[in-house]
Amino acid sequence: MTKTVYTARAIAPEVLKELRAADDAGRVPSPLTDDEGGAPLRCCLRHSRVGERIALVTYAPLRRWAAGTGARPGPYDEQGPVFIHAEECEGPQGEGLAFTNAHRVLRRYSADGRILGGELVEEGFGERDVRKAFDDPAVALVHVRAVEYGCFYYEIKRP
């Protein structure tokens, strides 16, 4: 039996290129040098390092997904802040899940872009938690989000 592996999906390189020119709110980003490190980068799914050039941009993950699938999320089409590298980076290194170092919310979406619910998962969450989120056959997509602010970290699709 083949083991199912769920992989965090960073923001796609072609989308990052667009976001670096103008974000999903129509604003031109203002890159900065990260003096502290630790910002969760959605381009390569790791924390920033001191001295890296990063940008905080507005991103509409469900809108971007819906554009490729024909879904119509309606009022669920939200946008929010995400950190990315200010310039092109090498993207994620490896497979699996990222940012599992804190409580997160796994928010489930149907194929038409409607929220089907969410679940708070503990620090160190993993494959079992994601598999449970996809137990409902109506779930087409899962977003991993921050508990404190609801910020988008990444999406997971069915394998």
Side-chain angles (χ1 to χ4, degrees):
M1 175 180 275
T2 304
K3 180 182 176 195
T4 302
V5 175
Y6 293 97
T7 299
R9 297 174 58 91
I11 299 173
E14 63 274 9
V15 174
L16 289 165
K17 184 175 182 179
E18 293 172 8
L19 293 173
R20 289 179 180 117
D23 68 14
D24 284 346
R27 290 186 282 267
V28 175
S30 298
L32 57 96
T33 299
D34 189 347
D35 293 330
E36 297 177 16
L41 298 167
R42 279 43 164 235
C43 49
C44 55
L45 302 180
R46 66 165 175 82
H47 289 101
S48 64
R49 297 180 188 113
V50 173
E52 287 187 304
R53 297 279 298 156
I54 62 173
L56 183 61
V57 299
T58 300
Y59 178 56
L62 200 59
R63 179 184 315 161
R64 296 285 185 156
W65 171 78
T69 65
R72 309 192 109 223
Y76 297 104
D77 176 26
E78 61 188 334
Q79 57 187 16
V82 296
F83 286 102
I84 62 173
H85 275 112
E87 292 86 29
E88 187 177 334
C89 69
E90 55 192 31
Q93 302 301 301
E95 296 181 345
L97 303 176
F99 302 120
T100 61
N101 60 327
H103 289 78
R104 300 283 181 234
V105 171
L106 301 183
R107 189 183 296 167
R108 302 179 308 272
Y109 292 90
S110 66
D112 64 357
R114 307 273 186 229
I115 295 175
L116 295 176
E119 184 174 350
L120 176 67
V121 292
E122 300 291 324
E123 179 179 342
F125 71 93
E127 294 278 324
R128 181 177 51 88
D129 300 294
V130 176
R131 192 174 315 111
K132 181 179 173 188
F134 281 110
D135 276 351
D136 179 348
V139 173
L141 179 71
V142 171
H143 282 181
V144 175
R145 292 183 170 259
V147 173
E148 306 89 351
Y149 304 108
C151 297
F152 171 85
Y153 274 88
Y154 55 87
E155 70 182 24
I156 305 168
K157 295 181 181 177
R158 287 188 180 276

